[in-house]
Amino acid sequence: MAQDILKQIYDLALMPILTISRPDSIRQVARILTEEDHPVIEITLRTEAAFEALSILRTEYPDFLVGAGTVLSTDLVRRAVDAGARFIVAPGFNPKVVDYCLNHRIPVIPG
């Protein structure tokens, strides 16, 4: 599964990254990306709104490939995955985050 998700991201060749302050705005972004046949996005965990946006995508756009970015700890990995993230992006190589993701079969892209 992890390899499949990473291959999908690679095949799309472009991944929009969004820092969100109003969770409801994710619906418009997802609609536009879906219309353009580009159902992938990384939502940075720089705001609390990010977790609600992840949850909205999980429930309203279940086929959307949504990831969480700026993931700095295993606690953030757990919260992001619980909210709906299907992959994790870390801004650097944090061995604890990478090991946790690999041990739980969560696709991870360390920066």
Side-chain angles (χ1 to χ4, degrees):
M1 179 178 147
Q3 294 289 29
D4 293 340
I5 289 174
L6 294 174
K7 178 157 179 13
Q8 283 178 290
I9 293 168
Y10 178 82
D11 288 346
L12 287 167
L14 176 71
M15 181 168 46
I17 301 170
L18 180 66
T19 299
I20 193 158
S21 58
R22 293 187 343 256
D24 288 344
S25 63
I26 195 62
R27 289 180 179 95
Q28 182 178 3
V29 173
R31 183 180 47 78
I32 291 167
L33 290 172
T34 300
E35 288 172 0
E36 295 300 320
D37 198 30
H38 203 85
V40 63
I41 195 166
E42 172 191 332
I43 298 176
T44 64
L45 300 185
R46 295 182 183 147
T47 66
E48 278 300 312
F51 296 99
E52 188 175 341
L54 289 168
S55 182
I56 289 169
L57 286 174
R58 175 183 61 202
T59 57
E60 297 180 23
Y61 294 85
D63 295 331
F64 213 84
L65 185 55
V66 60
T70 317
V71 179
L72 303 172
S73 68
T74 56
D75 181 55
L76 286 177
V77 172
R78 285 188 292 274
R79 288 183 63 201
V81 170
D82 287 347
R86 295 178 57 200
F87 64 92
I88 299 297
V89 180
F93 183 80
N94 180 328
K96 289 181 183 179
V97 168
V98 172
D99 287 345
Y100 181 87
C101 289
L102 292 176
N103 289 333
H104 290 86
R105 299 182 186 263
I106 302 166
V108 60
I109 303 167

